[in-house]
Coordinates of all heavy atoms in Angstrom, one line a residue:
T405 N 10.7 11.8 -22.6 CA 11.2 12.3 -21.3 C 12.7 12.3 -21.2 O 13.4 11.7 -22.0 CB 10.7 11.4 -20.2 OG1 11.2 10.1 -20.4 CG2 9.2 11.3 -20.2
P406 N 13.2 13.0 -20.3 CA 14.7 13.0 -20.1 C 15.1 11.7 -19.5 O 14.3 10.9 -19.0 CB 14.9 14.1 -19.0 CG 13.6 14.1 -18.3 CD 12.5 13.9 -19.3
E407 N 16.4 11.4 -19.8 CA 16.9 10.1 -19.2 C 17.3 10.2 -17.8 O 17.5 9.3 -17.1 CB 18.2 9.7 -20.0 CG 17.8 9.3 -21.5 CD 19.0 8.8 -22.2 OE1 20.1 9.0 -21.7 OE2 18.8 8.3 -23.4
T408 N 17.4 11.5 -17.3 CA 17.7 11.7 -15.9 C 16.5 12.5 -15.3 O 16.0 13.4 -16.0 CB 19.0 12.4 -15.6 OG1 19.0 13.6 -16.4 CG2 20.2 11.5 -16.1
P409 N 16.1 12.2 -14.0 CA 14.9 12.9 -13.5 C 15.2 14.1 -12.7 O 14.4 14.5 -11.8 CB 14.4 11.8 -12.6 CG 15.6 11.1 -12.1 CD 16.6 11.2 -13.2
E410 N 16.3 14.8 -12.9 CA 16.7 16.0 -12.1 C 15.9 17.3 -12.4 O 16.2 18.3 -11.8 CB 18.2 16.2 -12.1 CG 19.0 15.2 -11.3 CD 19.2 13.9 -12.1 OE1 19.0 13.9 -13.3 OE2 19.6 12.9 -11.5
E411 N 15.0 17.3 -13.4 CA 14.4 18.5 -13.7 C 13.6 19.1 -12.6 O 13.0 18.4 -11.8 CB 13.4 18.2 -14.9 CG 14.1 18.1 -16.3 CD 14.9 16.8 -16.4 OE1 14.5 15.9 -15.7 OE2 15.9 16.9 -17.1
T412 N 13.5 20.4 -12.6 CA 12.6 21.0 -11.6 C 11.4 21.6 -12.4 O 11.5 21.6 -13.6 CB 13.3 22.2 -10.9 OG1 13.6 23.2 -11.8 CG2 14.6 21.7 -10.2
E413 N 10.4 22.1 -11.7 CA 9.3 22.6 -12.4 C 9.6 23.9 -13.3 O 8.9 24.2 -14.2 CB 8.2 23.0 -11.4 CG 7.6 21.8 -10.7 CD 6.4 22.1 -9.9 OE1 6.0 23.3 -9.9 OE2 5.9 21.2 -9.2
D414 N 10.7 24.5 -12.9 CA 11.1 25.7 -13.7 C 11.9 25.4 -14.9 O 12.1 26.3 -15.8 CB 12.0 26.7 -12.8 CG 11.2 27.2 -11.6 OD1 10.0 27.3 -11.7 OD2 11.8 27.4 -10.5
Q415 N 12.3 24.2 -15.1 CA 13.1 23.8 -16.2 C 12.2 23.2 -17.3 O 11.3 22.5 -17.0 CB 14.2 22.8 -15.8 CG 15.3 23.4 -14.9 CD 16.2 22.3 -14.4 OE1 15.9 21.2 -14.2 NE2 17.5 22.7 -14.3
P416 N 12.6 23.4 -18.5 CA 11.8 22.7 -19.6 C 12.0 21.2 -19.5 O 13.1 20.8 -19.1 CB 12.4 23.3 -20.9 CG 13.8 23.8 -20.5 CD 13.7 24.2 -19.1
I417 N 11.1 20.5 -20.0 CA 11.2 19.0 -20.0 C 12.1 18.7 -21.2 O 11.7 19.0 -22.3 CB 9.8 18.3 -20.0 CG1 9.1 18.7 -18.8 CG2 10.0 16.8 -20.2 CD1 7.6 18.1 -18.8
K418 N 13.2 18.1 -21.0 CA 14.1 17.8 -22.0 C 13.6 16.6 -22.9 O 12.8 15.8 -22.4 CB 15.5 17.4 -21.5 CG 16.1 18.6 -20.7 CD 17.5 18.1 -20.1 CE 18.1 19.2 -19.2 NZ 19.4 18.8 -18.6
Q419 N 14.1 16.5 -24.1 CA 13.8 15.5 -25.0 C 14.8 14.3 -24.9 O 16.0 14.6 -24.6 CB 13.7 16.0 -26.4 CG 12.8 17.2 -26.5 CD 11.4 17.0 -25.9 OE1 10.7 16.1 -26.4 NE2 11.0 17.8 -25.0
R420 N 14.4 13.2 -25.3 CA 15.3 12.0 -25.3 C 16.4 12.3 -26.4 O 16.1 12.8 -27.5 CB 14.6 10.8 -25.6 CG 15.4 9.5 -25.6 CD 14.6 8.3 -25.9 NE 13.5 8.1 -25.0 CZ 13.6 7.7 -23.7 NH1 14.8 7.3 -23.3 NH2 12.6 7.6 -22.9
K421 N 17.6 11.9 -26.1 CA 18.7 12.2 -27.0 C 18.5 11.7 -28.4 O 18.7 12.4 -29.4 CB 20.0 11.5 -26.5 CG 21.2 11.7 -27.4 CD 22.4 11.0 -26.8 CE 23.7 11.2 -27.7 NZ 24.9 10.6 -27.1
N422 N 17.9 10.5 -28.6 CA 17.7 10.0 -29.9 C 16.2 9.8 -30.2 O 15.8 9.0 -31.0 CB 18.4 8.6 -30.1 CG 19.9 8.8 -30.2 OD1 20.4 9.5 -31.0 ND2 20.6 8.1 -29.3
G423 N 15.4 10.7 -29.6 CA 14.0 10.6 -29.8 C 13.6 11.2 -31.2 O 14.4 12.0 -31.8
L424 N 12.5 10.7 -31.8 CA 12.1 11.2 -33.1 C 11.6 12.6 -33.1 O 11.6 13.3 -34.1 CB 11.1 10.2 -33.7 CG 11.7 8.8 -34.0 CD1 10.6 7.9 -34.5 CD2 12.8 8.9 -35.0
Y425 N 11.0 13.0 -31.9 CA 10.6 14.4 -31.7 C 11.6 15.1 -30.9 O 11.8 14.7 -29.7 CB 9.2 14.4 -31.1 CG 8.1 13.9 -32.0 CD1 7.5 12.7 -31.7 CD2 7.6 14.6 -33.1 CE1 6.5 12.2 -32.5 CE2 6.6 14.1 -33.9 CZ 6.0 12.9 -33.6 OH 5.0 12.4 -34.4
Q426 N 12.2 16.2 -31.4 CA 13.2 16.9 -30.6 C 12.7 18.3 -30.1 O 13.4 19.1 -29.6 CB 14.4 17.1 -31.4 CG 15.2 15.8 -31.6 CD 15.7 15.2 -30.3 OE1 16.3 15.9 -29.5 NE2 15.4 14.0 -30.1
G427 N 11.4 18.5 -30.2 CA 10.8 19.7 -29.7 C 9.3 19.7 -29.7 O 8.7 18.8 -30.3
V428 N 8.7 20.7 -29.0 CA 7.3 20.8 -28.9 C 7.0 22.2 -29.4 O 7.5 23.2 -28.8 CB 6.8 20.5 -27.5 CG1 5.3 20.8 -27.4 CG2 7.1 19.1 -27.1
S429 N 6.1 22.4 -30.4 CA 5.7 23.7 -30.8 C 4.9 24.4 -29.8 O 4.2 23.7 -29.0 CB 5.0 23.6 -32.2 OG 3.7 23.0 -32.0
D430 N 4.9 25.7 -29.8 CA 4.0 26.5 -28.9 C 2.6 26.1 -29.1 O 1.8 26.0 -28.1 CB 4.2 28.0 -29.0 CG 5.6 28.4 -28.6 OD1 6.3 27.6 -27.8 OD2 6.0 29.5 -29.0
E431 N 2.2 25.9 -30.4 CA 0.8 25.6 -30.7 C 0.4 24.2 -30.1 O -0.7 24.1 -29.5 CB 0.6 25.6 -32.2 CG 0.7 27.0 -32.8 CD 2.1 27.4 -33.0 OE1 3.1 26.7 -32.7 OE2 2.3 28.6 -33.5
L432 N 1.3 23.2 -30.2 CA 1.0 21.9 -29.7 C 0.9 22.0 -28.2 O 0.0 21.4 -27.5 CB 2.0 20.9 -30.1 CG 1.8 19.5 -29.5 CD1 0.5 18.9 -29.9 CD2 2.9 18.5 -30.0
A433 N 1.8 22.6 -27.5 CA 1.9 22.8 -26.1 C 0.6 23.4 -25.6 O 0.0 22.9 -24.6 CB 3.1 23.6 -25.6
E434 N 0.1 24.4 -26.3 CA -1.1 25.1 -25.9 C -2.3 24.2 -26.1 O -3.2 24.1 -25.3 CB -1.3 26.4 -26.7 CG -2.4 27.3 -26.1 CD -2.1 27.8 -24.7 OE1 -0.9 27.9 -24.3 OE2 -3.0 28.0 -23.9
N435 N -2.3 23.5 -27.2 CA -3.4 22.5 -27.5 C -3.6 21.5 -26.5 O -4.7 21.1 -26.1 CB -3.1 21.9 -28.9 CG -4.2 20.9 -29.3 OD1 -4.1 19.7 -28.9 ND2 -5.2 21.3 -30.0
M436 N -2.4 21.0 -25.9 CA -2.5 19.9 -25.0 C -3.0 20.3 -23.6 O -3.3 19.4 -22.8 CB -1.1 19.2 -24.9 CG -0.7 18.5 -26.1 SD -1.7 17.0 -26.5 CE -1.2 15.9 -25.2
K437 N -3.1 21.6 -23.4 CA -3.5 22.1 -22.0 C -5.0 22.0 -21.8 O -5.5 21.9 -20.7 CB -3.1 23.5 -21.8 CG -1.6 23.7 -21.7 CD -1.3 25.2 -21.5 CE 0.2 25.5 -21.4 NZ 0.5 26.9 -21.2
S438 N -5.8 21.9 -22.9 CA -7.2 22.1 -22.7 C -8.0 21.0 -23.5 O -7.4 20.2 -24.2 CB -7.7 23.4 -23.3 OG -7.3 23.5 -24.7
G439 N -9.3 20.9 -23.2 CA -10.1 19.9 -23.9 C -10.2 18.6 -23.2 O -10.5 17.6 -23.8
W440 N -9.9 18.6 -21.9 CA -9.9 17.3 -21.1 C -11.0 17.3 -20.2 O -11.3 18.3 -19.5 CB -8.6 17.2 -20.4 CG -7.4 17.3 -21.3 CD1 -6.5 18.3 -21.5 CD2 -6.9 16.2 -22.1 NE1 -5.5 18.0 -22.4 CE2 -5.7 16.7 -22.8 CE3 -7.3 14.9 -22.4 CZ2 -5.0 16.0 -23.7 CZ3 -6.5 14.2 -23.3 CH2 -5.4 14.7 -23.9
A441 N -11.7 16.2 -20.1 CA -12.9 16.1 -19.2 C -12.4 16.0 -17.7 O -11.3 15.7 -17.4 CB -13.7 14.8 -19.5
D442 N -13.3 16.4 -16.8 CA -13.1 16.3 -15.4 C -13.2 14.8 -15.0 O -14.3 14.2 -15.1 CB -14.1 17.2 -14.6 CG -14.0 17.1 -13.1 OD1 -13.0 16.5 -12.7 OD2 -14.9 17.6 -12.4
T443 N -12.1 14.2 -14.5 CA -12.2 12.8 -14.2 C -12.1 12.6 -12.6 O -11.8 11.5 -12.2 CB -11.0 12.1 -14.9 OG1 -9.8 12.6 -14.4 CG2 -11.2 12.2 -16.4
E444 N -12.2 13.7 -11.9 CA -12.1 13.5 -10.4 C -13.2 12.5 -9.9 O -14.4 12.5 -10.3 CB -12.4 14.9 -9.7 CG -12.3 14.8 -8.2 CD -10.8 14.7 -7.7 OE1 -9.9 14.8 -8.6 OE2 -10.6 14.6 -6.5
L445 N -12.7 11.6 -9.1 CA -13.6 10.6 -8.5 C -14.2 11.1 -7.2 O -13.5 11.5 -6.3 CB -12.9 9.3 -8.3 CG -12.2 8.7 -9.5 CD1 -11.4 7.4 -9.1 CD2 -13.2 8.3 -10.6
R446 N -15.5 11.0 -7.1 CA -16.2 11.6 -5.9 C -17.0 10.5 -5.2 O -17.3 9.4 -5.7 CB -17.1 12.7 -6.3 CG -16.3 13.9 -7.0 CD -17.2 15.0 -7.5 NE -16.4 16.1 -8.0 CZ -15.8 16.2 -9.2 NH1 -15.9 15.1 -10.0 NH2 -15.2 17.2 -9.5
D447 N -17.3 10.8 -3.9 CA -18.1 9.9 -3.1 C -17.4 8.5 -3.0 O -18.0 7.5 -3.0 CB -19.5 9.7 -3.6 CG -20.3 11.0 -3.7 OD1 -20.1 11.8 -2.8 OD2 -21.0 11.2 -4.7
L448 N -16.1 8.5 -2.8 CA -15.3 7.3 -2.6 C -15.5 6.8 -1.2 O -15.7 7.6 -0.2 CB -13.8 7.5 -2.9 CG -13.4 7.9 -4.3 CD1 -12.0 8.3 -4.4 CD2 -13.8 6.8 -5.3
T449 N -15.4 5.5 -1.0 CA -15.5 4.9 0.3 C -14.1 4.4 0.7 O -13.3 4.1 -0.1 CB -16.5 3.7 0.3 OG1 -16.1 2.7 -0.7 CG2 -17.9 4.2 0.0
P450 N -13.9 4.4 2.0 CA -12.5 4.0 2.5 C -12.2 2.6 2.1 O -13.1 1.7 1.9 CB -12.6 4.1 4.0 CG -13.7 5.1 4.2 CD -14.7 4.8 3.1
I451 N -10.9 2.3 1.9 CA -10.5 0.9 1.6 C -10.9 0.0 2.8 O -11.0 0.4 3.9 CB -9.0 0.9 1.4 CG1 -8.2 1.4 2.6 CG2 -8.6 1.7 0.1 CD1 -6.7 1.3 2.5
P452 N -11.0 -1.3 2.5 CA -11.5 -2.2 3.5 C -10.7 -2.2 4.8 O -11.2 -2.4 5.9 CB -11.4 -3.6 2.8 CG -11.6 -3.3 1.4 CD -10.9 -2.0 1.2
Q453 N -9.4 -2.0 4.7 CA -8.5 -2.1 5.9 C -8.3 -0.8 6.6 O -7.4 -0.7 7.5 CB -7.2 -2.8 5.6 CG -6.2 -2.1 4.7 CD -6.5 -2.4 3.3 OE1 -7.6 -2.5 2.8 NE2 -5.4 -2.6 2.5
A454 N -9.0 0.3 6.2 CA -8.7 1.6 6.7 C -8.8 1.7 8.3 O -7.9 2.3 8.9 CB -9.7 2.6 6.1
E455 N -9.8 1.0 8.9 CA -9.9 1.0 10.3 C -8.7 0.3 11.0 O -8.1 0.7 12.0 CB -11.1 0.4 10.8 CG -12.4 1.2 10.5 CD -13.6 0.5 11.1 OE1 -13.5 -0.5 11.8 OE2 -14.8 1.0 10.8
R456 N -8.2 -0.7 10.3 CA -7.1 -1.5 10.9 C -5.8 -0.7 10.7 O -4.9 -0.7 11.6 CB -7.0 -2.9 10.2 CG -8.2 -3.8 10.5 CD -8.1 -5.0 9.7 NE -9.2 -6.0 10.1 CZ -10.4 -5.9 9.7 NH1 -10.8 -5.0 8.8 NH2 -11.3 -6.8 10.1
T457 N -5.6 -0.1 9.6 CA -4.4 0.7 9.4 C -4.3 1.9 10.4 O -3.3 2.3 10.9 CB -4.2 1.2 8.0 OG1 -5.4 2.0 7.6 CG2 -4.0 0.1 7.0
A458 N -5.5 2.5 10.7 CA -5.6 3.5 11.7 C -5.2 3.0 13.1 O -4.4 3.7 13.9 CB -7.0 4.1 11.8
A459 N -5.6 1.8 13.4 CA -5.3 1.2 14.7 C -3.8 0.9 14.8 O -3.1 1.1 15.8 CB -6.1 -0.1 14.9
R460 N -3.2 0.5 13.7 CA -1.7 0.2 13.6 C -1.0 1.5 13.8 O 0.1 1.5 14.5 CB -1.4 -0.4 12.3 CG -2.0 -1.8 12.1 CD -1.9 -2.2 10.6 NE -2.7 -3.4 10.4 CZ -3.0 -3.9 9.2 NH1 -2.5 -3.3 8.1 NH2 -3.7 -5.0 9.0
R461 N -1.4 2.6 13.2 CA -0.7 3.9 13.4 C -0.9 4.4 14.9 O 0.1 4.9 15.4 CB -1.3 4.9 12.4 CG -1.0 4.6 11.0 CD -1.4 5.8 10.1 NE -2.8 6.2 10.1 CZ -3.7 5.7 9.4 NH1 -3.4 4.8 8.5 NH2 -5.0 6.2 9.5
A462 N -2.0 4.1 15.5 CA -2.2 4.5 16.9 C -1.2 3.7 17.8 O -0.7 4.3 18.7 CB -3.7 4.2 17.3
A463 N -1.0 2.4 17.5 CA -0.1 1.6 18.3 C 1.3 2.2 18.1 O 2.1 2.2 19.0 CB -0.2 0.2 17.9
L464 N 1.7 2.5 16.9 CA 3.0 3.1 16.6 C 3.2 4.4 17.3 O 4.2 4.7 17.9 CB 3.1 3.3 15.1 CG 4.4 4.0 14.6 CD1 5.6 3.2 15.0 CD2 4.4 4.2 13.1
S465 N 2.1 5.3 17.3 CA 2.2 6.5 18.0 C 2.4 6.4 19.5 O 3.2 7.1 20.1 CB 0.9 7.3 17.8 OG 0.8 8.5 18.6
A466 N 1.8 5.4 20.1 CA 1.9 5.1 21.5 C 3.3 4.7 21.9 O 3.8 5.0 23.0 CB 0.9 4.1 22.0
R467 N 4.0 4.0 21.0 CA 5.3 3.5 21.2 C 6.4 4.6 21.2 O 7.4 4.5 21.9 CB 5.6 2.4 20.2 CG 7.1 1.8 20.2 CD 7.5 1.2 21.6 NE 8.8 0.8 21.5 CZ 9.9 1.5 21.7 NH1 9.7 2.9 22.0 NH2 11.1 1.0 21.7

Side-chain angles (χ1 to χ4, degrees):
T405 63
E407 294 185 347
T408 55
E410 284 81 14
E411 282 70 29
T412 68
E413 292 188 7
D414 295 331
Q415 294 176 322
I417 297 174
K418 298 177 183 177
Q419 308 306 302
R420 184 180 302 281
K421 180 179 179 181
N422 289 304
L424 294 176
Y425 292 109
Q426 289 299 308
V428 176
S429 68
D430 292 342
E431 290 79 4
L432 176 59
E434 193 63 30
N435 176 275
M436 291 297 287
K437 292 180 183 180
S438 60
W440 304 100
D442 178 9
T443 61
E444 182 75 7
L445 303 176
R446 296 173 176 83
D447 301 321
L448 296 173
T449 58
I451 58 174
Q453 68 269 45
E455 290 185 7
R456 293 174 174 84
T457 55
R460 295 166 190 167
R461 294 192 299 273
L464 176 61
S465 172
R467 172 61 180 83

